[in-house]
Amino acid sequence: MKSAEKGADWLSGSVRAAAVERRLKPGQALFHAGGKTSGFYEVVSGTVRMVRVDRSGREAVLQVASAGDTLAEASLFSPAYHCDAVAATEAVVRLYPKSALLAALEHDPATAKAFAARLARQVMTLRTRLERRNIHSARDRVRHYLTINAGADGATVVLPGTLKDLAADLGLTHEALYRTLARMAAEGEITRAGTVIKLKRAG
Amino acid sequence: MKSAEKGADWLSGSVRAAAVERRLKPGQALFHAGGKTSGFYEVVSGTVRMVRVDRSGREAVLQVASAGDTLAEASLFSPAYHCDAVAATEAVVRLYPKSALLAALEHDPATAKAFAARLARQVMTLRTRLERRNIHSARDRVRHYLTINAGADGATVVLPGTLKDLAADLGLTHEALYRTLARMAAEGEITRAGTVIKLKRAG
DNA sequence: TTTGTCCTATGATCTGGATCATAGGCCAGC
DNA sequence: GCTGGCCTATGATCCAGATCATAGGACAAA
């Protein structure tokens, strides 16, 4: 593969070829609210925070993007950014220029379809994650996660990261998650070997 | 069923013209996991629940769609549904046939762009709502909401629904929200007249 | 007018998860 | 081998928000 063709494999080669990488120091801004949009970004490494600041100086975090995440997709369809993006750590981002992607959307139906498909899938998983946060009990939240992420056998879940990562994803402290998993295992609802969890029959 | 050109104004006329309405009784299924996908839906009235059931019979809700919401967008890019959709109440839904939308994506760049734009905006707001749920304190959650939803003056928020609706959106009980708003008003952080809230200078 | 429903509101109590503290295991780098 | 950092794990305590209860007001239907 050509070096230029790294990153998001759901984008067509021409769009990926137009991508530009940029290195950021902690605290350095990627763009500011009101600035002219130049495209959307993919985080290669580090983390970037999107922040909205109101007149009274209060800040509100809209998103924290880590390696692999994309950000500011909506800016493709708007002339100006509507929030600030600031590197929270040393970070590398890849810019996919607006013009390249919009041109692809116009002239290349396959790319348009792939782009829409990715966004639709993101909407789906975000809705699911949000729905999970409506569950109060830690145990039911874990059940929800396991049920939805069970593999082809409908019972086995291989965690994509550490238990701490999962705890953050579930909106629990890691302590609460450890305890919950321990209890579920003790009561026979699951069996566990490291980050591989198997759901057992209910009842 | 009449296919008047109502509903989703972000879709081209030709797609809207192809829409089909369907009326559901409580408990009636809209589609089942594994079934061939026929398109995506918009809820006209009532509420529809998307549910995933695992081998052991456990259920997990993926989404609860109410009037105005859309569902199963991702099914456009997949041959089979991956969950069940069941009406939770008497409901009316509008089906946008897969073929019509996919054809539009291929041949009509404007529609493709509008569709992608809508999805991108949804991704953005969902990410923001999810981020908000990471905030533990009720007060900070309300602040986050107000800051992000402040109008052009950066201070005034007109709620789109009732306080109960807002409480649900924030992931709080209505009692907790009432108390939090009362305290914020008492301490001069906000002023409130019904569902119109004004942010005051930060303390 | 009366009844019923729903939103708003606030008091009293309870609890599950957050927080704080401690410790063992594992691995990378020195 | 030793050290430091991080993940895993569990105990003790605390507290914000959930839950339960009660009540006034707005509004629609009967």
Side-chain angles (χ1 to χ4, degrees), chain B residues 5-202:
Chain B
E5 301 219 356
K6 297 175 150 187
D9 57 6
W10 43 277
L11 286 172
S12 70
S14 64
V15 175
R16 277 187 285 166
V20 180
E21 283 197 5
R22 195 173 149 192
R23 168 164 263 106
L24 299 165
K25 297 209 178 308
Q28 194 179 346
L30 188 52
F31 56 74
H32 281 291
K36 189 166 150 288
T37 50
S38 45
F40 81 105
Y41 295 85
E42 178 190 2
V43 178
V44 177
S45 67
T47 83
V48 176
R49 238 185 273 283
M50 320 265 294
V51 176
R52 186 131 146 56
V53 184
D54 71 6
R55 200 62 48 80
S56 74
R58 264 183 283 258
E59 290 193 352
V61 177
L62 296 162
Q63 181 193 356
V64 180
S66 302
D69 294 339
T70 54
L71 56 93
E73 292 94 332
S75 72
L76 289 170
F77 310 102
S78 142
Y81 290 108
H82 63 290
C83 65
D84 299 350
V86 180
T89 66
E90 182 99 12
V92 177
V93 298
R94 191 176 288 132
L95 167 68
Y96 294 99
K98 195 171 166 173
S99 55
L101 191 76
L102 288 182
L105 283 187
E106 303 254 348
H107 306 309
D108 176 6
T111 293
K113 215 174 125 175
F115 186 61
R118 183 183 153 88
L119 289 173
R121 242 172 280 120
Q122 264 188 63
V123 165
M124 185 182 66
T125 66
L126 284 167
R127 284 203 281 235
T128 299
R129 281 157 49 93
L130 202 49
E131 194 63 45
R132 182 176 305 138
R133 296 299 185 98
N134 285 333
I135 301 171
H136 294 299
S137 137
R139 190 153 181 171
D140 285 342
R141 230 181 252 189
V142 171
R143 284 201 188 103
H144 187 272
Y145 177 90
L146 294 176
T147 299
I148 285 173
N149 294 86
D153 66 353
T156 307
V157 181
V158 180
L159 300 184
T162 66
L163 290 175
K164 281 193 79 168
D165 294 337
L166 176 60
D169 187 38
L170 296 179
L172 298 171
T173 57
H174 50 108
E175 296 100 318
L177 177 61
Y178 294 145
R179 283 189 245 265
T180 302
L181 288 176
R183 230 173 301 127
M184 289 172 79
E187 294 173 17
E189 186 170 350
I190 58 170
T191 56
R192 194 157 73 84
T195 61
V196 178
I197 302 175
K198 278 191 210 299
L199 271 160
K200 293 297 169 190
R201 87 280 164 267

Side-chain angles (χ1 to χ4, degrees), chain A residues 38-50:
Chain A
S38 46
F40 81 105
Y41 295 84
E42 177 190 2
V43 178
V44 177
S45 68
T47 82
V48 176
R49 239 183 273 283
M50 320 264 294

Side-chain angles (χ1 to χ4, degrees), chain A residues 12 23 45 70 74 104 146 157 159 167 169 182:
Chain A
S12 70
R23 170 163 265 103
S45 68
T70 53
L146 294 176
V157 181
L159 300 184
D169 187 36

